[in-house]
Amino acid sequence: MTVALTVGLLTFGAFYLFSKRELLRVILGMVLLGHAANLAIIAAGGTDRRGLPFAGTSDVEVQADALPQAFVLTAIVIAFAITVLLLALAVTGRADDAVAETPEAKLIYQLASIAHVVTQGNGSGADVAASSFGGFLNYSSFQAEWLREAYKKSHSLTELTRKDWVYASLDPITLPNSVHVCIGWTGKPASTKKLVDQILQLKITSPEKFASFISHSEQAVKKVLQGMKQNNLELLLQGIKDNRHALATVGEDANVAIETPLLTTLCDLAEEFGGAGKPSGAGGGDCGIAFMRSKEAAEALMEAWEKAGIKPLALQPHPHGAMVSEAKDM
């Protein structure tokens, strides 16, 4: 009974450690499971017979079974070798698996950005930042080219996340209290990767036009940020309009339909009702976002969108990033 309880406790402890994230705990679990298996094998040979397993040394009825002991001796040697191998992996792995149960938003953003750039090859990661941190952010991109090179040169994800992401910056900001956000869908998805690649071609074919786009975009963003920080609604709306104009211009210069007819309608209607609108992401269809002066203006805008064939989405900014919630029984 004592051996059976000991085997059960060791097995329970092993599987408990297997359920943890850290490799070191998994290694300890392997050690416990090995001990449990060894005890079970010894017990199978009979624990009541303890005599030396050699002919002539003791009565045959009390001699221990030599076969289980040979198995256990072999198992101990193999378990020792496996333990050394796993410990070596734990050291050379640089604790990549040692992630907290609830990782910080910054780590989620970094890992998601790495996956995004490795998979897609370009993009600013603004959607990743918004999903990770929530709310509104004064965001500067990590620069896809830099992250690709840093990924290639890093020996592990831990090393890469601990580097100084020199280009990336994230500062939470807030909208003026009176602003209402409306989001509309044009019914047509857009490929960000293709649009970004086409726009980047302008950097080669017409660098002066590309530089003009960057300059006008920076000025528009400054107005938006100043409007938010100073609670200046007029400055905020003007910055949104300037940003829309800069995107439309660079689209024309690159021969890319950033502002499709429905997106044009979406933005024009927002301005008609006293607000400002712009394409979301890289444009080319998909969604647009509008900032309105009042709830009444926002409701009137969404009704006008529906009449124009644009689907208003029941989405609003959330102060927190993506979260996992447990489903409740209905």
Side-chain angles (χ1 to χ4, degrees), residues 127-257:
D127 49 353
V128 174
S131 300
S132 303
F133 289 88
F136 288 90
L137 299 171
N138 178 7
Y139 174 70
S140 295
S141 172
F142 43 71
Q143 300 300 321
E145 296 85 355
W146 175 86
L147 188 53
R148 280 200 306 270
E149 289 302 314
Y151 175 78
K152 292 176 182 177
K153 295 177 181 178
S154 299
H155 296 91
S156 68
L157 291 178
T158 299
E159 179 184 342
L160 181 52
T161 57
R162 290 176 180 173
K163 280 186 176 181
D164 180 19
W165 290 34
V166 290
Y167 297 105
S169 66
L170 305 98
D171 298 309
I173 51 177
T174 55
L175 276 178
N177 296 329
S178 60
V179 174
H180 286 72
V181 178
C182 300
I183 301 172
W185 186 47
T186 64
K188 177 187 175 184
S191 172
T192 299
K193 185 180 188 304
K194 290 181 179 178
L195 288 167
V196 171
D197 287 340
Q198 289 174 303
I199 294 296
L200 289 177
Q201 284 297 315
L202 187 66
K203 189 176 182 179
I204 301 172
T205 58
S206 184
E208 66 283 353
K209 290 182 178 179
F210 186 83
S212 176
F213 161 66
I214 296 296
S215 176
H216 285 95
S217 293
E218 289 177 348
Q219 293 173 18
V221 170
K222 286 180 181 179
K223 289 182 181 179
V224 171
L225 292 175
Q226 289 176 0
M228 288 184 171
K229 293 177 181 178
Q230 299 172 10
N231 201 29
N232 187 330
L233 181 56
E234 297 300 327
L235 192 59
L236 167 63
L237 295 179
Q238 187 57 53
I240 298 296
K241 293 175 184 177
D242 291 349
N243 181 256
R244 174 199 175 187
H245 178 71
L247 285 171
T249 301
V250 76
E252 293 174 1
D253 292 337
N255 197 25
V256 178

